[in-house]
């Protein structure tokens, strides 16, 4: 976890202490910190424990947002392109399914909703989404980059999620060089038939592109995967006209007490769920006008990482159009300043669900066995639908994202997260972590959206001894 110290740093540290429960004695100065000529630090003092747990990562994002809101870090959000240099680069693995992958990028405007993160304006809520799908073979289009050039430059800068959530030194990686395995606007593969739809929501601060390997893999197996950017909460969202919307989740001074932080988390989740339901509202029209009615909206699921996993579960609670969901290491409460104690639970935790939800935990502190986590334990007790809880041995919070695949490659080239690689993505082998994530996601959605049960979720598997089931 990382934050930044500057003129607003003390307010940010208050959030960290209240929410992450980080002892003062564990702080040290990040290796990525650089003192400016005026004596201020450009990057940060890093509240650090031995691992990155999900509550600390969430807190770090809130803390960094405070700096953005108060002008503690200079912004280059105009979207200018940086010149390429010989920085470290990394590759994403090929999808494992029988289909090639296509991609369509869409700009949506919710005319019925004012922008919640720009109070006092009449701006409408704008979203960027991507749809990945099985593509017809033999296309000549180039592979799409994981991120656009402007988004990649910001992602890897001082205000981006690479520094914020992963502790990567700003400007240390050429994030724009990473390619996906999708071709823009390629024809849909006719032999794929009608496509089940799966939505994806990323972690707090992360862009919709930060699980591209898993998203492309699901598409290669015959799903239409809709990834959603949560504007002004993600560290950057680029619109077709070149605007780069950066994180602005504070209205006025950043909160520093547990009640205020809890209120902010409730707002974040309410906005996320509203975003997701708006996308669900628009999918029928997009299906007719852009996809030739190949999307089977009666078979819709959702998955997400961290706050995105919470979003998937809460959307299922609030909207019956989502039939099945996967929560990848996302808390289900709004605890703002202390260790979770079963208070401030979400309605999906107190009410449960009558449809299937898979909980995927990590070996990081504050994760894993649902019995050790009050919000997961409450959900487990109250839910009526199918549920399972699996933990990836040797993993950390970011192991269910592209970080698991990209960061080890970058570390071998000298670009290592502050605190070390293991603190960010654990000790699990990257290829095994990716194989497990892909297999369990495909098994889950195959079972509940297609009716094809491969039995992987029936219990421990010799194929994936790294994945531990909690009964």
């Amino acid at each position: 976890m990382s934050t930044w110290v500057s003129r607003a740093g003390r307010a940010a540290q208050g959030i960290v202490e209240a929410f992450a429960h980080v002892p003062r004695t564990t702080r040290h100065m990040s290796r990525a910190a650089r003192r400016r000529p005026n004596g201020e630090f450009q990057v940060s003092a890093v509240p650090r424990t031995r691992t990155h747990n999900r509550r600390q990562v969430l807190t770090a994002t809130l803390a960094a947002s405070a700096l953005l809101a108060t002008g503690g870090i200079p912004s280059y959000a105009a979207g200018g392109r940086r010149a390429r240099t010989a920085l470290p680069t990394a590759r994403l693995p090929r999808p494992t399914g029988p289909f090639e992958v296509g991609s369509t990028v869409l700009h949506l405007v919710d005319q019925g909703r004012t922008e919640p993160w720009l109070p006092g304006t009449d701006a409408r809520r704008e979203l960027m989404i991507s749809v990945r799908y099985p593509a017809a073979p033999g296309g000549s289009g180039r592979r799409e980059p994981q991120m656009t050039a402007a988004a990649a430059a910001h992602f890897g800068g001082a205000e981006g999620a690479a520094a914020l959530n992963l502790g990567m030194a700003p400007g240390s990686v050429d994030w724009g060089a990473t390619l996906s395995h999708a071709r823009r606007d390629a024809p849909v593969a006719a032999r794929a038939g009608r496509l089940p739809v799966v939505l994806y929501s990323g972690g707090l601060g992360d862009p919709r592109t930060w699980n591209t390997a898993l998203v492309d893999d699901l598409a290669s197996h015959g799903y239409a995967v809709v990834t959603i950017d949560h504007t002004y909460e993600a560290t950057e969202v680029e619109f077709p006209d070149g605007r780069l919307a950066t994180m602005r989740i504070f209205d006025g001074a950043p909160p520093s007490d547990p009640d205020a932080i809890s209120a902010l988390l409730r707002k974040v989740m309410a906005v996320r769920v509203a975003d997701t339901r708006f996308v669900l509202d628009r999918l029928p029209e997009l299906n007719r006008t852009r996809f030739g009615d190949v999307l089977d909206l009666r078979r819709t699921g959702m998955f997400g990482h961290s706050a995105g996993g919470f979003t998937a579960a809460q959307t299922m609670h609030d909207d019956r159009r989502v039939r099945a969901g996967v929560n990848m290491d996302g808390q289900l409460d709004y605890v703002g300043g202390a260790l979770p104690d079963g208070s401030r639970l979400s309605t999906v935790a107190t009410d449960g669900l009558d449809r299937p939800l898979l909980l995927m935990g990590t070996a990081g502190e504050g994760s894993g066995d649902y019995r050790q986590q009050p919000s997961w334990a409450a959900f487990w007790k109250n839910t009526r639908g199918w549920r399972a809880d699996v933990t990836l041995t040797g993993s950390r919070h970011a192991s269910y994202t592209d970080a698991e695949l990209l960061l080890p490659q970058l570390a071998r080239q000298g670009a290592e997260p502050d605190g070390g690689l293991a603190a960010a993505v654990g000790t699990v082998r990257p290829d095994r972590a990716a194989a497990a994530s892909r297999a369990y996601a495909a098994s889950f959605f195959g079972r509940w959206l297609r009716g094809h049960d491969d039995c992987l979720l029936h219990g421990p598997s010799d194929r994936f001894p790294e994945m531990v089931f909690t009964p």
Side-chain angles (χ1 to χ4, degrees):
M1 181 183 72
S2 66
T3 63
W4 295 303
V5 171
S6 68
R7 287 168 294 184
R10 296 186 185 278
Q13 285 184 352
I15 296 173
V16 171
E17 292 167 13
F19 186 41
H21 200 70
V22 178
R24 288 180 180 272
T25 56
T26 63
R27 288 200 193 89
H28 67 275
M29 186 60 64
S30 164
R31 290 180 314 204
R34 297 291 184 268
R35 189 179 293 273
R36 292 175 176 158
N38 65 1
E40 295 175 348
F41 283 100
Q42 184 177 3
V43 188
S44 73
V46 181
R48 176 71 65 195
T49 60
R50 292 182 61 85
T51 63
H52 291 193
N53 70 46
R54 65 188 179 202
R55 199 169 295 276
Q56 290 168 340
V57 168
L58 189 62
T59 305
T61 309
L62 295 178
S65 304
L67 301 192
L68 304 191
T70 55
I73 298 174
S75 172
Y76 52 91
R81 296 173 181 264
R82 286 184 172 182
R84 279 285 162 81
T85 59
L87 293 172
T89 62
R91 297 180 179 182
L92 294 170
R94 291 187 60 83
T96 61
F99 297 105
E100 295 183 21
V101 180
S103 174
T104 293
V105 178
L106 299 166
H107 175 211
L108 306 181
V109 182
D110 187 349
Q111 297 293 352
R113 188 163 48 129
T114 57
E115 174 50 62
W117 301 117
L118 297 178
T121 74
D122 59 359
R124 301 291 100 179
R125 181 68 169 164
E126 296 182 71
L127 300 177
M128 292 299 297
I129 67 170
S130 294
V131 184
R132 293 295 221 270
Y133 52 87
S140 58
R142 293 182 178 181
R143 289 164 56 188
E144 273 200 323
Q146 180 188 28
M147 307 177 197
T148 65
H154 192 275
F155 177 87
E159 300 174 13
L164 181 67
N165 286 346
L166 300 169
M168 297 295 289
S172 62
V173 172
D174 184 0
W175 297 102
T178 301
L179 300 179
S180 74
H181 289 272
R183 291 179 288 115
R184 174 68 70 91
D185 296 326
V188 178
R191 68 184 181 92
R194 301 207 72 208
L195 309 177
V197 176
V198 178
L199 282 70
Y200 173 72
S201 174
L204 190 73
D206 286 344
R208 73 185 189 277
T209 53
W210 196 235
N211 223 328
T212 292
L214 181 53
V215 166
D216 281 359
D217 196 71
L218 282 171
S220 79
H221 285 277
Y223 295 89
V225 187
V226 183
T227 63
I228 304 170
D229 261 334
H230 300 289
T231 312
Y232 296 116
E233 184 212 297
T235 56
E236 63 283 320
V237 178
E238 185 177 9
F239 292 107
D241 60 5
R243 286 176 296 138
L244 200 66
T246 56
M247 183 183 284
R248 293 186 61 176
I249 62 173
F250 286 93
D251 178 13
S256 58
D257 67 273
D259 289 341
I261 295 172
S262 179
L264 175 60
L265 294 175
R266 290 179 185 276
K267 180 178 178 180
V268 165
M269 192 53 53
V271 172
R272 282 171 159 262
V273 171
D275 289 346
T276 306
R277 299 185 75 178
F278 172 64
V279 172
L280 289 168
D281 291 343
R282 290 296 306 273
L283 284 179
E285 177 190 354
L286 296 173
N287 191 20
R288 293 189 302 270
T289 60
R290 301 293 293 266
F291 293 99
D293 203 34
V294 300
L295 308 184
D296 187 350
L297 300 177
R298 297 169 301 175
R299 296 184 291 164
T300 297
M302 186 171 180
F303 75 109
H305 171 251
S306 193
F310 190 171
T311 304
Q314 191 63 49
T315 300
M316 285 185 68
H317 175 275
D318 295 353
D319 197 314
R320 297 195 62 82
R321 288 175 289 184
V322 182
R323 293 179 51 180
V326 179
N327 176 0
M328 293 177 159
D329 210 30
Q331 64 194 67
L332 297 175
D333 59 32
Y334 305 104
V335 173
L339 294 176
D341 58 3
S343 64
R344 305 180 193 264
L345 293 174
S346 63
T347 52
V348 69
T350 57
D351 298 343
L353 296 169
D354 60 2
R355 284 151 289 148
L357 184 75
L358 174 62
L359 301 172
M360 298 183 71
T362 74
E365 181 185 356
S367 184
D369 188 334
Y370 72 86
R371 293 169 295 193
Q372 308 301 317
Q373 307 173 63
S375 67
W376 280 23
F379 170 81
W380 195 270
K381 175 184 177 182
N382 295 322
T383 201
R384 304 168 304 287
W386 180 96
R387 75 273 201 269
D389 177 16
V390 296
T391 299
L392 181 60
T393 303
S395 63
R396 292 296 180 265
H397 187 60
S399 293
Y400 290 126
T401 71
D402 289 335
E404 181 63 57
L405 293 163
L406 299 181
L407 264 58
Q409 299 177 55
L410 298 169
R412 289 194 293 271
Q413 301 168 67
E416 185 172 314
D418 180 66
L421 186 63
V425 293
T427 57
V428 63
R429 278 174 39 191
D431 60 325
R432 294 299 300 169
S437 296
R438 289 173 165 189
Y440 280 80
S443 177
F444 177 83
F445 289 119
R447 180 175 180 178
W448 298 110
L449 298 185
R450 285 187 159 143
H452 300 159
D453 187 359
D454 64 2
C455 301
L456 183 61
L457 289 166
H458 289 197
S461 169
D462 291 339
R463 289 172 55 201
F464 297 101
E466 305 92 339
M467 200 64 91
V468 177
F469 275 72
T470 300

